[in-house]
Amino acid sequence: MKVAIVDLGTNTCRLFLATVAGASEVRAHVRQTTVVRLGEGVDEDRRLRPAAIERTRACLAGYAAELRRFSPERRLLIATSVLRDARDGAAFLAAVEREYGMPSRVLRGEEEAALAFRGGTAELAATSASGKLVLIDIGGGSTEFAIGAPGGAPSFVRSLDVGAVRLTERFIRHDPPLPGELTALSDFVAGTIAGNVPAAVRNGVAAAVGVAGTYTTLVAHKLALTVYQPELVHGHVLTLADIEASLARFVGLTHAQRARLAGIQAGREDVIIAGAVIAREACRAFSLDAVRCSEADLLEGAALALAEGSLAASTAD
């Protein structure tokens, strides 16, 4: 079955055109990411900014044209943290549905975590991977934690309001950031994870899978990729020491200097520090010294669920 997923997040808008076969096979035809920063300022006043809306609508217009050419049997726009938070999010999505013909669903945080777990761990279910793992999905507005056996349904899910855009806006006021800002940011992330993911749950985890832009950017930077190569990023093991080394490099640079580093996608240079802090504190919280990066994530999980009929537009609930 041909399916189309548009993933509208706090920092990025993504297009995924794929063919789904059976309960676990997803063949991607188009996977495209555009930094639109729809969530700019939403943490402060819970409203979408006009400039952010215009950036996002321009992106969606281009995606709609590609979607029409693909002619999927099923299509769905999924929205995450930014539209869970924005008071005017429902009106924005209604306009998007009318103008671009994209039925939509605002995912609950726990629903987002479960779908990301399904997409990010399906490949591991066919390997010798054993024991519980945690899938960590660092987004612009929130971070999702899902714990379970690869390929199955997670036994624990939690969505926390610790995202790279949200925490950059909340804690980092200087460029480069001041030491006190970094300490406050780190303490907040560590405390939020510890307060929402019980120690007994964290202690039962043997490994981690990291998905989404923070992790893929950290790997691309580590590998000094001047042109992004997903086949090199997927499956790469990023150690806690790698994360700490990149973070130490980033904090001494300005946004403009960070933007010139290999592997840093345009539009992430200002939020990668907060993202890396979240990645570091997640490893520490689970007492893990490494995380396996996966290109497969929420998109694959949503595509599988859409094809089987377990995920639908909000109006179809």
Side-chain angles (χ1 to χ4, degrees), residues 39-54:
E40 179 184 5
V42 169
D43 184 60
E44 179 182 355
D45 58 17
R46 296 299 193 265
R47 299 194 68 84
L48 301 173
R49 303 284 173 87
I53 291 174
E54 288 308 308

Side-chain angles (χ1 to χ4, degrees), residues 11-13 33-37 213 217 220 225-226 228 255-256 258-272:
N11 196 43
T12 62
C13 186
T33 300
T34 307
V35 175
V36 296
R37 194 67 60 86
T217 298
L225 300 182
T226 55
Y228 191 76
H255 296 166
R258 253 176 267 128
R260 293 195 289 270
L261 295 174
I264 306 299
Q265 180 190 15
R268 294 196 187 277
E269 65 276 2
D270 58 336
V271 299
I272 190 58

Side-chain angles (χ1 to χ4, degrees), residues 47-72:
R47 299 194 68 84
L48 301 173
R49 303 284 173 87
I53 291 174
E54 288 308 308
R55 290 192 299 268
T56 304
R57 288 171 65 88
C59 173
L60 290 173
Y63 284 2
E66 292 193 52
L67 194 148
R68 286 192 295 270
R69 287 192 290 270
F70 185 64
S71 293

Side-chain angles (χ1 to χ4, degrees), residues 106-124:
V106 178
L107 299 177
R108 302 182 306 276
E110 291 72 18
E111 186 178 26
E112 180 183 354
L115 288 170
F117 186 88
R118 181 176 183 180
T121 68
E123 174 185 295
L124 296 179

